[in-house]
Amino acid sequence: MSFEAEVIPLFIGGVIAVSAIEFFMGWLGLRRRKDVRGLFIGHVAAMLLGFFFLIRSLFANWLGVELGIVSISNSVNIGLFGLCWAVSAICVAVMISRLAAPRQ
């Protein structure tokens, strides 16, 4: 896939910057709720891992990644992105249900 030269480092840098901001804001926001911090960290980690697979699929040529059979490699990377996204969404859903539950 063709992109302008600036797009790829901006995309990768943007993913890292937004994930870092999300992590620190969430960590501060959940400082009194240590029971859900693990789920939040799981969400951020799963999304970063998912973006790794997505970036690997989209920008493999620019990154110098040797893919073997490109269509198979891209299919696997997109599938792994989807799995990581699902894990991230599950972490968020469980975290929200725990935060919404009345404290005992």
Side-chain angles (χ1 to χ4, degrees):
M1 202 177 296
S2 298
F3 295 96
E4 294 293 324
E6 307 83 30
V7 169
I8 299 162
L10 284 173
F11 185 82
I12 293 170
V15 166
I16 292 169
V18 169
S19 295
I21 292 167
E22 177 186 21
F23 176 79
F24 289 116
M25 295 296 290
W27 189 262
L28 290 174
L30 296 171
R31 67 181 170 269
R32 293 187 185 103
R33 293 297 306 261
K34 294 181 181 176
D35 56 323
V36 294
R37 273 189 178 174
L39 289 166
F40 178 73
I41 292 169
H43 154 69
V44 174
M47 280 308 299
L48 277 172
L49 186 60
F51 272 113
F52 168 79
F53 292 119
L54 183 63
I55 288 167
R56 190 173 151 90
S57 182
L58 290 175
F59 307 130
N61 293 340
W62 186 81
L63 296 170
V65 176
E66 299 292 326
L67 296 176
I69 301 173
V70 176
S71 63
I72 293 173
S73 182
N74 284 340
S75 298
V76 169
N77 283 324
I78 295 297
L80 290 172
F81 165 74
L83 288 174
C84 291
W85 185 26
V87 168
S88 172
I90 290 168
C91 286
V92 169
V94 172
M95 184 174 62
I96 289 171
S97 69
R98 287 188 185 173
L99 288 170
R103 286 193 174 205
Q104 296 179 2

